[in-house]
Amino acid sequence: MAERILMNEFKTLAQEPWVNIELDNDDIFNWTVGLIVVNPDSLYYGGYFKAAMKFPKNYPYSPPEFRFLHPLYHPNIYPDGKLCISILHSPGEDEMSGELASERWSPAQRVESVLISILSLLDDPEVSSPANVDAGVLLRKEPEKYKAIVRNCVEASKADIPEHFVMPTHQTSVSAVKQPELDDSDFWVESDVDDDVFGGSDSDEALDSDDRDTGSEDEDDHERV
């Protein structure tokens, strides 16, 4: 079952412009991931962050492992590239960390939700319990220096872009989202609507009759005056 689920997820993600995935030695349980930041407002915009994902044999009942293959300066990323992120922690509540079960891994999660959570983490770090203490302190006290280091990481990451891979932009990512196709049945035309529903022609005739009656009364009033 794990192989089938992972293959389906692999095929789905292969259509996404913000991620580039290759299988290590055609092993569906070991992926090399190129995570691409396409949000122009992100400090990590334009980066191609290469990572390894390893899936357990009982996936999706246990979470995958994720590790960036090159240093990425961030409060929640350890020097060895591993992340401190709840979604990759084993299912169930953890009284020690205070993490709720809803924040951690569950069999309902998928690779896409993990990758999206990681992209969100890049721009919204949790500095209260950092994996990289120095990065957490620098972000709080000297944010401009922090940003300069991150920009260097982004530029260095571009060396991992595969030779024939075309980096997406924000525009290509947006255009890749399919819009629903509409046909004539998705629109109603006024002439096709049953007159009875909205008071129809009978109501219009009644209104005209009322207007005529009102007009007659007005004429009588003028004559009496």
Side-chain angles (χ1 to χ4, degrees):
M1 182 179 71
E3 291 93 335
R4 185 174 67 254
I5 292 174
L6 285 170
M7 184 56 69
N8 288 337
E9 293 196 57
F10 175 82
K11 291 178 180 178
T12 299
L13 286 170
Q15 308 302 316
E16 295 291 342
W18 51 272
V19 63
N20 182 42
I21 300 175
E22 299 176 354
L23 301 183
D24 297 345
N25 298 317
D26 294 325
D27 182 359
I28 194 63
F29 289 97
N30 289 278
W31 297 10
T32 297
V33 177
L35 198 56
I36 305 153
V37 180
V38 296
N39 176 12
D41 297 325
S42 172
L43 189 59
Y44 295 83
Y45 175 62
Y48 183 97
F49 302 112
K50 195 172 182 179
M53 289 193 79
K54 183 176 182 180
F55 298 88
K57 296 297 182 180
N58 69 338
Y59 179 86
Y61 298 102
S62 295
E65 296 177 6
F66 184 98
R67 182 174 67 86
F68 286 108
L69 297 179
H70 301 294
L72 182 55
Y73 200 71
H74 189 278
N76 303 116
I77 301 177
Y78 292 100
D80 65 356
K82 291 185 178 181
L83 285 79
C84 180
I85 185 170
S86 299
I87 196 172
L88 291 176
H89 295 164
S90 298
E93 295 187 2
D94 186 344
E95 295 181 0
M96 294 294 294
S97 65
E99 291 179 344
L100 301 176
S102 59
E103 300 172 323
R104 296 162 68 93
W105 178 263
S106 77
Q109 301 286 6
R110 291 294 180 262
V111 179
E112 183 176 24
S113 57
V114 170
L115 298 180
I116 291 175
S117 294
I118 293 171
L119 288 173
S120 298
L121 180 69
L122 292 181
D123 293 318
D124 189 19
E126 175 54 63
V127 296
S128 62
S129 55
N132 184 330
V133 176
D134 292 339
V137 171
L138 193 65
L139 175 60
R140 291 196 308 270
K141 295 186 175 180
E142 299 182 80
E144 292 305 316
K145 286 187 176 181
Y146 175 85
K147 292 177 182 179
I149 295 175
V150 169
R151 284 193 291 268
N152 289 336
C153 289
V154 170
E155 290 304 312
S157 74
K158 295 177 181 179
D160 286 326
I161 300 174
E163 183 177 354
H164 300 294
F165 181 77
V166 178
M167 285 286 283
T169 63
H170 174 66
Q171 286 74 19
T172 59
S173 298
V174 170
S175 63
V177 178
K178 294 183 178 180
Q179 298 297 323
E181 297 182 0
L182 303 178
D183 55 33
D184 293 341
S185 64
D186 293 308
F187 301 91
W188 63 270
V189 181
E190 187 173 359
S191 60
D192 294 335
V193 179
D194 188 347
D195 288 336
D196 292 337
V197 175
F198 292 102
S201 56
D202 292 341
S203 297
D204 293 338
E205 292 176 0
L207 181 59
D208 290 341
S209 175
D210 291 341
D211 289 341
R212 286 193 295 270
D213 292 342
T214 302
S216 299
E217 292 175 0
D218 290 342
E219 291 176 1
D220 294 341
D221 290 340
H222 285 299
E223 290 177 359
R224 286 195 293 269
V225 173

